[in-house]
Amino acid sequence: MHHFTSIHDAYNIPQLVNEALLMKRAPYSDCFIGKNKTIGLLFFNSSLRTRLSTQKAAQNLGMNVMVMNVGADSWQLEMNEGVIMNSDKAEHVSEAAAVIGQYCDIVGLRSFPSLVNREDDYSELVLNQFMKYTGRPILSLESATRHPLQSLTDLITIQEYKKTARPKVVLTWAPHIKALPQCVPNSFAEWMNHSEVDFTIAHPKGYELAPEFSGNAQICYDPKEAFEGADFIYAKNWSSYQEYGKILNSDPAWMVTMDKMKLTNDAKFMHCLPVRRNVVVEDAVLDSNHSIVIQQAGNRVWAAQTVLKEMLLSLAKKESPYLF
């Protein structure tokens, strides 16, 4: 594994999941694999779980960790090529990323979409520019269109808690007070479509994901119908893909409630966090035995640690091929 930016970089998904669950039992078994290696974690937007879990994962592997809030701890970066830099951007990504590559062996990058121009966001400019100029393996900590570490975490959590070989997994849209990106639902759908689950996406009309992400999922426009017999309920808000970035519906009937959970097969409730209580999901669900959001967040460490281990092994093979 060189880069990790989507499911397409995961050569063997079941093996990654099993490796993560083994690592959870023995967190420090590979504590020397990252010795004398440095990871730089660059954040273009706020983070709690991604920042702390990735830092802990890297330290568990013996890595040095550097963290930077880009634009706050550094210069504002210009991402576009061929521009006249006479505005507020003081440094071009071509120099900044190349310099970061001088200091780091792996670079973790978190960026958000603008939700203004779909073509620009889905081109993944920030991610691709860093891949182009750092000369180092890139670990996506969330991008404009995907959040692969979160999705691997989700799959690990489903594997850990499932009670049947092929569970019914429902990704349900939920209301929110502001427009949010499609990154998490896109990525979750992508990973579920490659997994041994019966997968349903439930949302109001107008919130369809891009076809390349929704894939073969069953689409349902009635939340109660979608919840019937579900083993896992994954709630997440996202703004419209077709009417890009817009809020088309804030219907509170889509909030996850205990009444809806009673329609399920004693389902586990999942959310990537942070979550707005009594908007996305009511207290009664979050505070019940249905909820595994804290355990899910805990698994962020093992997802990141497993991916970093694979990236470090790939680096070692490149640097010392005669040892492998």
Side-chain angles (χ1 to χ4, degrees):
M1 185 185 292
H2 185 59
H3 300 301
F4 185 75
T5 63
S6 78
I7 195 170
H8 305 297
D9 296 317
Y11 62 93
N12 188 319
I13 297 169
Q15 185 174 321
L16 273 181
V17 171
N18 290 334
E19 176 75 17
L21 290 172
L22 288 172
M23 196 168 285
K24 186 173 183 176
R25 299 191 194 108
Y28 309 110
S29 57
D30 296 300
C31 62
F32 297 109
I33 198 170
K35 185 179 179 181
N36 298 327
K37 296 296 182 184
T38 298
I39 185 169
L41 304 179
L42 308 180
F43 292 88
F44 284 81
N45 55 282
S46 301
S47 173
L48 189 157
R49 280 148 293 276
T50 299
R51 179 187 298 251
L52 296 181
S53 63
T54 309
Q55 186 168 351
K56 180 174 176 60
Q59 290 169 337
N60 285 353
L61 294 170
M63 299 186 76
N64 302 312
V65 183
M66 298 191 294
V67 183
M68 175 174 284
N69 297 308
V70 181
D73 300 334
S74 69
W75 305 112
Q76 292 281 347
L77 298 185
E78 175 59 62
M79 294 293 168
N80 293 297
E81 306 285 0
V83 297
I84 298 172
M85 290 178 57
N86 59 0
S87 63
D88 62 331
K89 306 292 175 58
E91 185 165 11
H92 197 273
V93 65
S94 57
E95 286 80 49
V99 167
I100 290 166
Q102 295 290 302
Y103 306 147
C104 302
D105 300 284
I106 295 174
V107 176
L109 184 71
R110 179 178 173 98
S111 63
F112 252 29
S114 67
L115 293 180
V116 174
N117 185 301
R118 187 175 78 185
E119 184 177 344
D120 286 350
D121 285 345
Y122 274 65
S123 73
E124 291 285 13
L125 178 63
V126 175
L127 182 66
N128 286 323
Q129 290 291 66
F130 271 84
M131 290 174 71
K132 178 180 179 180
Y133 287 116
T134 59
R136 298 295 185 181
I138 297 295
L139 170 65
S140 174
L141 306 177
E142 189 169 14
S143 69
T145 64
R146 291 178 169 96
H147 197 344
L149 275 181
Q150 178 66 60
S151 301
L152 175 56
T153 298
D154 300 335
L155 192 54
I156 291 165
T157 306
I158 289 170
Q159 177 67 25
E160 194 172 27
Y161 282 90
K162 71 180 184 180
K163 298 177 181 177
T164 181
R166 190 177 177 88
K168 179 182 177 180
V169 177
V170 176
L171 169 64
T172 180
W173 181 93
H176 202 280
I177 65 168
K178 64 178 184 179
L180 295 181
Q182 297 104 35
C183 320
V184 169
N186 278 350
S187 201
F188 184 75
E190 194 169 47
W191 285 71
M192 289 302 107
N193 277 311
H194 284 80
S195 303
E196 289 297 316
V197 301
D198 290 327
F199 183 47
T200 295
I201 305 176
H203 56 72
K205 290 185 178 180
Y207 281 102
E208 290 78 9
L209 298 174
E212 60 266 31
F213 292 110
S214 56
N216 297 320
Q218 179 179 341
I219 308 300
C220 185
Y221 299 110
D222 180 342
K224 290 184 178 179
E225 180 184 336
F227 275 51
E228 288 280 355
D231 298 292
F232 293 91
I233 299 294
Y234 195 115
K236 186 70 180 79
N237 175 268
W238 61 91
S239 56
S240 175
Y241 171 77
Q242 293 297 334
E243 296 187 50
Y244 191 65
K246 292 184 179 179
I247 297 176
L248 306 179
N249 189 329
S250 298
D251 186 355
W254 281 84
M255 180 174 68
V256 179
T257 64
M258 190 59 81
D259 284 343
K260 292 194 188 78
M261 293 299 291
K262 289 176 182 176
L263 301 172
T264 69
N265 183 28
D266 195 29
K268 295 300 184 182
F269 174 79
M270 300 174 68
H271 191 283
C272 60
L273 301 182
V275 64
R276 290 181 181 262
R277 284 175 173 258
N278 303 308
V279 176
V280 171
V281 55
E282 68 178 8
D283 286 339
V285 176
L286 267 180
D287 297 331
S288 74
N289 290 332
H290 288 287
S291 177
I292 54 171
V293 298
I294 302 303
Q295 296 91 329
Q296 179 185 356
N299 283 338
R300 292 294 306 273
V301 175
W302 318 120
Q305 193 165 326
T306 301
V307 169
L308 282 173
K309 177 183 175 180
E310 294 300 319
M311 296 177 79
L312 286 166
L313 287 173
S314 180
L315 271 178
K317 289 178 182 178
K318 184 177 180 180
E319 293 171 355
S320 304
Y322 59 90
L323 293 177
F324 294 87

